[in-house]
Amino acid sequence: MSDVEKVLKQSLLYDFYGELLTEHQKSIYEDYVLNDLSLSEIAADRGISRQGVHDLIKRCDNILESYEEKLLLLSKFLEAKKKVNEIHQLANEVMITKDFDAIAKIDSIAQDIMNDL
């Protein structure tokens, strides 16, 4: 997983489960993931060691991953987003080609989304 993909996943997990962290954890995690501060910058601002910040970030990653393993909110969101994009593409296809068989596909995907919710 690239650094960009890792940060994207961290920020999405934080969006879904961040409120379940303590205020202290949220503050440091936000600085690292959302505000792109280095471990050293966060440590200097907070008056704690760089290793302490690193350990806290790692702990938060594990906590957020644990919530996702149990609740699957991010996975369900990404799957719904994929299906909505497919609906959008099929709707454009219907508009352009007048292929009305695609309407049945749209209805099927929409039903999948509703069943998943």
Side-chain angles (χ1 to χ4, degrees), residues 83 86-87 90-91 93-94 99-112:
K83 288 177 181 177
E86 190 176 347
I87 287 172
L90 287 169
E93 182 181 316
V94 169
D99 175 14
F100 294 104
D101 290 335
I103 292 175
K105 292 177 190 173
I106 290 171
D107 183 57
S108 174
I109 295 168
Q111 287 300 318
D112 286 347

Side-chain angles (χ1 to χ4, degrees), residues 71-86:
L71 301 173
L72 301 173
L73 295 178
L74 177 57
S75 297
K76 290 175 184 177
F77 168 77
L78 293 175
E79 185 62 30
K81 185 176 177 181
K82 178 181 161 191
K83 288 177 181 177
V84 169
N85 187 46
E86 190 176 347

Side-chain angles (χ1 to χ4, degrees), residues 20-31:
L20 300 172
L21 298 174
T22 68
E23 287 302 318
H24 179 68
Q25 289 170 329
K26 284 194 309 190
S27 177
I28 290 179
Y29 202 76
E30 284 177 6
D31 280 347

Side-chain angles (χ1 to χ4, degrees), residues 40-65:
S40 298
E41 291 171 318
I42 297 168
D45 287 348
R46 306 293 172 136
I48 57 178
S49 71
R50 184 186 176 286
Q51 184 63 44
V53 173
H54 176 268
D55 291 347
L56 183 75
I57 299 297
K58 196 73 162 157
R59 194 172 325 119
C60 289
D61 282 338
N62 290 336
I63 290 168
L64 297 174
E65 287 283 351

